[in-house]
Short mmCIF file of all heavy atoms in Angstrom, two decimals:
data_model
loop_
_atom_site.label_atom_id
_atom_site.label_comp_id
_atom_site.label_asym_id
_atom_site.label_seq_id
_atom_site.Cartn_x
_atom_site.Cartn_y
_atom_site.Cartn_z
N ASP A 26 0.23 33.24 -15.84
CA ASP A 26 -0.98 33.95 -16.23
C ASP A 26 -1.05 35.31 -15.56
O ASP A 26 -1.44 36.31 -16.17
CB ASP A 26 -2.21 33.12 -15.85
CG ASP A 26 -3.50 33.76 -16.34
OD1 ASP A 26 -3.67 33.88 -17.57
OD2 ASP A 26 -4.32 34.15 -15.49
N LEU A 27 -0.68 35.38 -14.27
CA LEU A 27 -0.68 36.66 -13.55
C LEU A 27 0.32 37.62 -14.17
O LEU A 27 0.05 38.83 -14.31
CB LEU A 27 -0.36 36.42 -12.07
CG LEU A 27 -1.46 35.76 -11.24
CD1 LEU A 27 -0.94 35.43 -9.86
CD2 LEU A 27 -2.69 36.65 -11.16
N GLN A 29 1.34 37.64 -17.28
CA GLN A 29 0.81 38.08 -18.57
C GLN A 29 -0.26 39.16 -18.38
O GLN A 29 -0.31 40.15 -19.12
CB GLN A 29 0.23 36.88 -19.32
CG GLN A 29 -0.25 37.22 -20.74
CD GLN A 29 -0.77 36.00 -21.48
OE1 GLN A 29 -1.01 34.97 -20.89
NE2 GLN A 29 -0.92 36.13 -22.78
N GLN A 38 -2.31 50.83 -19.82
CA GLN A 38 -2.02 52.09 -19.15
C GLN A 38 -1.13 52.98 -20.02
O GLN A 38 -1.33 54.19 -20.11
CB GLN A 38 -1.35 51.81 -17.80
CG GLN A 38 -1.01 53.07 -17.00
CD GLN A 38 -2.24 53.85 -16.59
OE1 GLN A 38 -3.30 53.27 -16.39
NE2 GLN A 38 -2.11 55.16 -16.49
N GLU A 39 -0.14 52.34 -20.67
CA GLU A 39 0.75 53.12 -21.54
C GLU A 39 -0.01 53.69 -22.74
O GLU A 39 0.24 54.82 -23.16
CB GLU A 39 1.91 52.23 -22.01
CG GLU A 39 2.90 51.89 -20.90
CD GLU A 39 4.08 51.07 -21.41
OE1 GLU A 39 4.28 51.04 -22.63
OE2 GLU A 39 4.79 50.47 -20.59
N LEU A 40 -0.95 52.89 -23.27
CA LEU A 40 -1.77 53.38 -24.38
C LEU A 40 -2.61 54.58 -23.96
O LEU A 40 -2.75 55.55 -24.70
CB LEU A 40 -2.68 52.26 -24.89
CG LEU A 40 -2.02 51.20 -25.78
CD1 LEU A 40 -2.98 50.04 -26.02
CD2 LEU A 40 -1.60 51.82 -27.10
N LEU A 89 -7.07 69.09 -19.11
CA LEU A 89 -6.58 67.79 -19.57
C LEU A 89 -5.31 67.38 -18.84
O LEU A 89 -5.14 66.21 -18.46
CB LEU A 89 -6.33 67.83 -21.08
CG LEU A 89 -5.78 66.56 -21.72
CD1 LEU A 89 -6.75 65.39 -21.52
CD2 LEU A 89 -5.52 66.78 -23.21
N LEU A 114 -12.09 76.36 -34.84
CA LEU A 114 -10.83 76.83 -35.43
C LEU A 114 -10.92 76.85 -36.95
O LEU A 114 -10.47 77.81 -37.59
CB LEU A 114 -9.69 75.93 -34.97
CG LEU A 114 -8.30 76.24 -35.53
CD1 LEU A 114 -7.85 77.65 -35.14
CD2 LEU A 114 -7.28 75.23 -35.04
N ARG A 115 -11.51 75.82 -37.53
CA ARG A 115 -11.63 75.78 -38.99
C ARG A 115 -12.47 76.95 -39.52
O ARG A 115 -12.15 77.54 -40.54
CB ARG A 115 -12.27 74.46 -39.42
CG ARG A 115 -11.31 73.27 -39.36
CD ARG A 115 -12.00 71.98 -39.71
NE ARG A 115 -11.09 70.86 -39.68
CZ ARG A 115 -11.45 69.58 -39.75
NH1 ARG A 115 -12.72 69.28 -39.83
NH2 ARG A 115 -10.55 68.61 -39.72
N SER A 123 -10.13 84.67 -45.88
CA SER A 123 -10.87 85.55 -46.78
C SER A 123 -10.47 87.01 -46.61
O SER A 123 -10.54 87.81 -47.53
CB SER A 123 -12.37 85.37 -46.56
OG SER A 123 -12.73 85.82 -45.27
N GLU A 129 3.51 92.28 -44.12
CA GLU A 129 4.85 91.81 -44.46
C GLU A 129 5.78 91.80 -43.24
O GLU A 129 6.64 90.93 -43.10
CB GLU A 129 5.43 92.71 -45.55
CG GLU A 129 6.68 92.16 -46.19
CD GLU A 129 6.40 90.93 -47.05
OE1 GLU A 129 5.26 90.77 -47.51
OE2 GLU A 129 7.33 90.13 -47.21
N LEU A 152 3.78 60.07 -31.58
CA LEU A 152 2.99 59.41 -30.55
C LEU A 152 2.00 58.43 -31.15
O LEU A 152 1.79 57.34 -30.62
CB LEU A 152 2.25 60.47 -29.71
CG LEU A 152 3.11 61.28 -28.74
CD1 LEU A 152 2.31 62.45 -28.20
CD2 LEU A 152 3.62 60.41 -27.61
N LYS A 156 1.89 54.50 -30.35
CA LYS A 156 0.67 53.88 -29.82
C LYS A 156 0.25 52.70 -30.68
O LYS A 156 -0.15 51.64 -30.16
CB LYS A 156 -0.46 54.92 -29.75
CG LYS A 156 -1.71 54.39 -29.08
CD LYS A 156 -2.72 55.48 -28.83
CE LYS A 156 -3.49 55.85 -30.06
NZ LYS A 156 -4.60 56.77 -29.79
N SER A 158 2.15 50.82 -32.52
CA SER A 158 3.11 49.72 -32.32
C SER A 158 2.84 49.00 -31.01
O SER A 158 2.91 47.77 -30.94
CB SER A 158 4.53 50.28 -32.34
OG SER A 158 5.46 49.28 -32.03
N GLU A 161 -0.25 46.76 -31.12
CA GLU A 161 -0.08 45.71 -32.12
C GLU A 161 -1.27 45.64 -33.07
O GLU A 161 -1.61 44.58 -33.58
CB GLU A 161 0.14 44.35 -31.44
CG GLU A 161 1.40 44.29 -30.61
CD GLU A 161 1.61 42.93 -29.96
OE1 GLU A 161 0.75 42.06 -30.14
OE2 GLU A 161 2.64 42.76 -29.29
N ASP A 183 -22.47 76.61 -72.21
CA ASP A 183 -21.57 75.68 -71.53
C ASP A 183 -20.13 75.84 -71.98
O ASP A 183 -19.34 74.89 -71.95
CB ASP A 183 -22.02 74.22 -71.73
CG ASP A 183 -23.27 73.91 -70.94
OD1 ASP A 183 -23.55 74.62 -69.95
OD2 ASP A 183 -23.97 72.94 -71.29
N LYS A 187 -14.69 84.06 -68.34
CA LYS A 187 -13.99 84.66 -67.21
C LYS A 187 -14.85 85.70 -66.50
O LYS A 187 -14.43 86.25 -65.48
CB LYS A 187 -12.69 85.30 -67.69
CG LYS A 187 -11.66 84.31 -68.22
CD LYS A 187 -10.37 85.00 -68.61
CE LYS A 187 -9.34 84.00 -69.12
NZ LYS A 187 -8.06 84.65 -69.51
N LYS A 188 -16.03 85.96 -67.04
CA LYS A 188 -16.88 87.01 -66.48
C LYS A 188 -17.98 86.40 -65.61
O LYS A 188 -18.74 85.53 -66.06
CB LYS A 188 -17.50 87.82 -67.61
CG LYS A 188 -16.47 88.56 -68.46
CD LYS A 188 -17.15 89.37 -69.56
CE LYS A 188 -16.12 90.13 -70.40
NZ LYS A 188 -16.75 90.91 -71.47
N ASN A 209 -13.86 49.35 -51.34
CA ASN A 209 -14.50 49.61 -52.62
C ASN A 209 -16.01 49.74 -52.44
O ASN A 209 -16.59 49.26 -51.47
CB ASN A 209 -14.20 48.47 -53.60
CG ASN A 209 -12.73 48.36 -53.91
OD1 ASN A 209 -11.97 49.29 -53.67
ND2 ASN A 209 -12.31 47.24 -54.46
N LEU A 226 -23.14 78.43 -51.62
CA LEU A 226 -24.04 78.45 -52.77
C LEU A 226 -24.88 77.18 -52.68
O LEU A 226 -24.41 76.08 -52.92
CB LEU A 226 -23.24 78.49 -54.07
CG LEU A 226 -22.27 79.67 -54.21
CD1 LEU A 226 -21.58 79.64 -55.58
CD2 LEU A 226 -22.98 81.00 -54.02
N TYR A 259 -21.58 70.10 -61.29
CA TYR A 259 -22.04 71.37 -61.86
C TYR A 259 -23.08 72.01 -60.93
O TYR A 259 -23.92 71.33 -60.34
CB TYR A 259 -22.66 71.15 -63.24
CG TYR A 259 -21.70 70.54 -64.23
CD1 TYR A 259 -21.59 69.16 -64.34
CD2 TYR A 259 -20.90 71.34 -65.04
CE1 TYR A 259 -20.70 68.58 -65.25
CE2 TYR A 259 -20.01 70.78 -65.95
CZ TYR A 259 -19.92 69.40 -66.04
OH TYR A 259 -19.04 68.85 -66.93
N GLY A 279 -17.75 61.40 -44.36
CA GLY A 279 -17.67 62.16 -43.12
C GLY A 279 -16.39 62.93 -42.93
O GLY A 279 -16.14 63.46 -41.85
#
Side-chain angles (χ1 to χ4, degrees):
D26 185 64
L27 289 173
Q29 185 178 14
Q38 180 64 31
E39 289 183 16
L40 282 171
L89 178 60
L114 178 61
R115 284 176 178 169
S123 66
E129 193 69 24
L152 287 169
K156 186 171 78 171
S158 175
E161 297 181 358
D183 288 338
K187 294 183 179 180
K188 297 181 179 180
N209 297 343
L226 303 183
Y259 301 88

